[in-house]
Amino acid sequence: MHSRVRVWLNRTYAENVFFMDQLRRNPSDRAVEIHATHADPDSPVLAAADTAELEPEGLSPAAYAEFALDQCQKRGIDVFVPRLHQAAIVAHRADFAAVGTALLAPPPEAVAVFHDKVIAYEAVQAVGVPVPPWWRVRTADELVAAVEELEADGHKACFKPASGAGGVGFRIITRAPFSLAQLNGFPSPYVSLDMVVEALAESEEQVDWLVMPRLEQPEVSVDTLTGPDNRVRLAIGRTKNGRRRGFTRDEQWLEPARLVAEGFGLHYLSNVQFRMFGDRPVLMDVNTRPAGGLHQLSLCGVNVPWAAVQLALGEDTGVIEPPFLGQDYTVVSGPRPLRPVSVPHQRVEEVEPLLASVPAPAPAVEAAQALPL
């Protein structure tokens, strides 16, 4: 009989409550206990976990790796799924293995390649994966030159940080001056080129941006499950076209995703994103972690989080073929419980003097009579 599996997710996306649900509903009927940590006490992943703890703030990556190692040893973690400070953590894989913890994350070399989008684009292009035109810019002059070159070819320019995740910092360049039109309706990703140039001129901070043409839909995110032997066990594309979502196993998306996952050793769970540039798919981004929408593959009859945990534990899953592709769908929000609100922890010796100074409460009837009507 198998013993329970203890899994830890550190500071992760709220959507990974579904990842946790799938681990508990695994097809092996294995007992799973989940530990979660976060800096936000109201993160739903803390409420969804069996045990939870607030993370210390302000730790350097190296100090955080020490904190993580201590957590794994103290909590008896079998599989750790690191998101925050992933690079610093995977550099100490042997230390985690020594305390009995497997890291569900790629090796340091793979994480380093895809931390910087420029390095990533150069690397994947060298193995035959198509990428869009791009420019790395750090100054206003470089930005203007890149935008003008794109516009001369009939493209709309956009930019995003050279390192980052989740679409943070993505903006689309427009030549239209700022006006009330930008203040109507919901906030827009469009930003005036003049405003960006002015902000760069006034700022003392140096930027590191990737400028490229705005790519067209559909967007296809290929979730891959790859073993430590660099062989892909599963690849399914999730399509996005406006509100409509769906699934694909078309090789125009899956083949380049496999090239990336196998060629760079993206062990366990990764997500390779594509969009259209003209009439062909090009790489948009690579995430060396489970995608927030990974749980949606359950609509195809597969439990990918559990398969990844099995691989991390050394249990080979073999190639996983989805029994079907789910029908098109959309995503809506729904309620999830939170942990009860609690006061900061105090030591007993701090609490006793406070209690001594508090007057005895009035009887319930007297207290009720004292309330205004």
Side-chain angles (χ1 to χ4, degrees):
M1 183 175 179
H2 289 297
S3 60
R4 63 101 196 253
V5 180
R6 188 94 164 121
V7 180
W8 173 28
L9 283 78
N10 73 342
R11 199 177 311 185
T12 190
Y13 305 113
E15 205 172 8
N16 272 333
V17 293
F18 303 116
F19 186 103
M20 298 159 74
D21 290 343
Q22 286 189 280
L23 289 182
R24 292 192 179 99
R25 296 196 303 265
N26 67 80
S28 303
D29 199 26
R30 188 95 170 259
V32 175
E33 289 188 10
I34 298 174
H35 181 55
T37 58
H38 208 287
D40 179 4
D42 288 335
S43 169
V45 299
L46 297 182
D50 297 292
T51 60
E53 191 171 318
L54 287 177
E55 292 188 356
E57 292 279 25
L59 295 182
S60 68
Y64 189 92
E66 292 182 13
F67 158 77
L69 188 62
D70 179 68
Q71 283 280 305
C72 289
Q73 189 163 22
K74 181 173 67 176
R75 297 281 184 175
I77 301 299
D78 298 301
V79 178
F80 176 22
V81 188
R83 189 202 67 82
L84 183 68
H85 295 315
Q86 187 189 64
I89 289 165
V90 296
H92 295 277
R93 188 180 297 272
D95 296 329
F96 284 92
V99 299
T101 301
L103 297 182
L104 202 153
E109 301 80 13
V111 174
V113 167
F114 295 103
H115 176 73
D116 185 302
K117 291 179 174 58
V118 171
I119 294 174
Y121 275 19
E122 291 173 340
V124 300
Q125 198 169 20
V127 298
V129 176
V131 299
W134 53 269
W135 290 259
R136 187 172 209 156
V137 304
R138 293 187 172 92
T139 67
D141 288 343
E142 290 175 346
L143 172 67
V144 171
V147 170
E148 288 180 344
E149 190 165 345
L150 280 168
E151 291 178 341
D153 290 334
H155 303 298
K156 190 178 292 292
C158 63
F159 66 88
K160 57 186 176 182
S163 61
V168 175
F170 172 78
R171 297 294 186 273
I172 303 169
I173 293 289
T174 176
R175 294 283 186 166
F178 185 79
S179 68
L180 282 176
Q182 276 77 42
L183 301 179
N184 292 329
F186 293 103
S188 165
Y190 285 88
V191 62
S192 165
L193 178 61
D194 291 340
M195 292 180 67
V196 179
V197 170
E198 183 180 352
L200 287 172
E202 293 178 353
S203 176
E204 296 181 358
E205 296 181 24
Q206 188 173 21
V207 300
D208 187 9
W209 290 341
L210 195 68
V211 176
M212 55 195 293
R214 186 188 181 190
L215 303 174
E216 300 302 322
Q217 294 183 324
E219 178 179 321
V220 178
S221 295
V222 181
D223 295 306
T224 60
L225 175 64
T226 307
D229 57 0
N230 292 348
R231 289 192 302 109
V232 169
R233 305 301 200 274
L234 173 140
I236 304 176
R238 290 182 287 113
T239 64
K240 303 177 186 178
N241 202 334
R243 186 186 292 272
R244 180 172 292 271
R245 310 287 181 96
F247 303 101
T248 180
R249 300 203 73 199
D250 190 319
E251 285 297 321
Q252 72 171 331
W253 312 105
L254 300 193
E255 182 183 6
R258 288 194 201 94
L259 272 175
V260 171
E262 294 182 343
F264 295 96
L266 293 182
H267 300 166
Y268 307 112
L269 293 171
S270 61
N271 178 255
V272 187
Q273 301 174 353
F274 301 91
R275 271 195 174 225
M276 298 298 293
F277 180 59
D279 59 356
R280 66 171 184 157
V282 293
L283 182 79
M284 185 171 66
D285 209 351
V286 176
N287 295 310
T288 60
R289 53 166 176 77
L294 179 70
H295 64 278
Q296 294 160 12
L297 294 185
S298 63
L299 296 176
C300 298
V302 290
N303 186 326
V304 185
W306 176 246
V309 166
Q310 286 183 292
L311 280 178
L313 292 172
E315 303 168 10
D316 197 347
T317 62
V319 175
I320 299 173
E321 296 287 347
F324 51 84
L325 292 183
Q327 68 180 50
D328 287 1
Y329 63 102
T330 191
V331 176
V332 295
S333 61
R336 293 287 299 203
L338 296 179
R339 300 177 81 199
V341 175
S342 59
V343 297
H345 176 71
Q346 293 176 301
R347 294 193 300 272
V348 173
E349 59 267 27
E350 292 176 336
V351 176
E352 288 176 344
L354 293 174
L355 293 176
S357 65
V358 176
V365 174
E366 293 178 7
Q369 291 173 343
L371 293 175
L373 299 176

